[in-house]
Amino acid sequence: MRMIGRLLGLALIVVLLISQALAAKNVIIMIGDGMGFQHLKAGGYYLNGASGTLCFEQFFKCSVTTNSLSGTTDSAAAATALATGNKAANGVISQAPDGTPYLTALEIAKSKGKRTGLVSTVSIKDATPAGFGAHEASRSNLSAVAGDYVNSSKANVIFGGGDPAKGGSFGVVNITQAKANGYLDVYNNTNMTGLN
């Protein structure tokens, strides 16, 4: 019996070590905004002469098709679904029909002490990144979206495209709010490489 107990104890330790080794340390969600299955197929044909040949397609586990609460899904409703697991009307950013904010994956990670970030090649205030870090009745409330980032969800890193002199990413009011909350503003490679 002692031998069986020791073997079971050893097996439990091995299982725990393996499960810790296999646990995800970081999670990065990459979204090709507006990219559907036909775009993937075309990309595979273009790059490799056949569909299903893009390097990331091997990771697909399933596919789901659904509509927003108001017809064909726009990027605000799609981002809300991806970030919260809930449907929303087109144009709405991570809110229920009654205006109640849906908890986003970014906010859940932040509440667990994880470092979080939003990165976009277009304006960070666009609907897709906004679905993860903002709660607005309209995707057009761009200043309010940026305010949600720096005052509510408080992602550790917020990178977006656009010329800051023209309000491309945040605009003066939001940059002032961000600095007041401890964010650093970086606009070029020299400033970026100077970060710790």
Side-chain angles (χ1 to χ4, degrees), residues 47 152 175 187:
L47 289 175
S152 298
I175 290 171
Y187 301 107

Side-chain angles (χ1 to χ4, degrees), residues 49-151:
S51 67
T53 57
L54 298 176
C55 64
F56 58 85
E57 289 183 277
Q58 64 183 312
F59 302 114
F60 283 164
K61 299 295 181 205
C62 66
S63 63
V64 177
T65 303
T66 187
N67 290 331
S68 75
L69 295 176
S70 55
T72 303
T73 307
D74 76 345
S75 55
T80 296
L82 288 168
T84 72
N86 295 288
K87 288 187 178 190
N90 286 337
V92 176
I93 303 291
S94 295
Q95 281 189 354
D98 67 1
T100 303
Y102 290 133
L103 192 61
T104 71
L106 183 143
E107 292 165 327
I108 292 168
K110 190 80 175 173
S111 74
K112 294 182 180 294
K114 304 292 184 186
R115 296 184 59 78
T116 60
L118 296 167
V119 179
S120 179
T121 57
V122 297
S123 172
I124 198 67
K125 298 180 292 188
D126 277 4
T128 300
F132 289 82
H135 304 280
E136 294 299 325
S138 173
R139 65 185 289 169
S140 299
N141 298 342
L142 300 180
S143 184
V145 165
D148 286 351
Y149 292 159
V150 299
N151 296 312

